[in-house]
Amino acid sequence: INDLRIVGNGDHFKFYINDQLLALCLKGNDKRATWNDDHSGQCASNNKQTTQELIDTTFPDGKLGLGVFENGSPVTVAFDNLVVYSAPQ
């Protein structure tokens, strides 16, 4: 069981699993975001640069959606105690 937390402030987002801030491998100018398949933990896209924050100005407001993708392998996902809140501005 893992705890997932996403913290958004305006168009800035940080992602945590079990209170550990995740390194993100963004697509940059590449077709898609890609980690190396050799399990080296290196980002293969975005000039091999990772970041700890996603900045996305394309979602000013809208609905919340959750999804999982694991290279075509079967995945079971369950959410328990989902909390969504907005902090005062």
Side-chain angles (χ1 to χ4, degrees), residues 5-50:
R5 179 168 41 117
I6 302 169
V7 177
N9 185 4
D11 55 7
H12 294 247
F13 300 89
K14 292 185 178 181
F15 299 81
Y16 299 81
I17 293 182
N18 300 327
D19 293 324
Q20 296 295 314
L21 182 61
L22 296 180
L24 304 174
C25 178
L26 304 178
K27 70 176 187 163
N29 293 327
D30 298 307
K31 186 174 180 180
R32 62 183 180 157
T34 309
W35 290 98
N36 279 342
D37 288 336
D38 63 4
H39 302 288
S40 65
Q42 292 183 325
C43 182
S45 58
N46 196 30
N47 294 319
K48 300 182 181 180
Q49 299 297 309
T50 60

Side-chain angles (χ1 to χ4, degrees), residues 1-2 4-5 7 26 32 34 37 65 71 79 81-82 86:
I1 296 177
N2 293 297
L4 169 66
R5 179 168 41 117
V7 177
L26 304 178
R32 62 183 180 157
T34 309
D37 288 336
N71 296 327
F79 294 95
N81 298 323
L82 177 66
S86 174

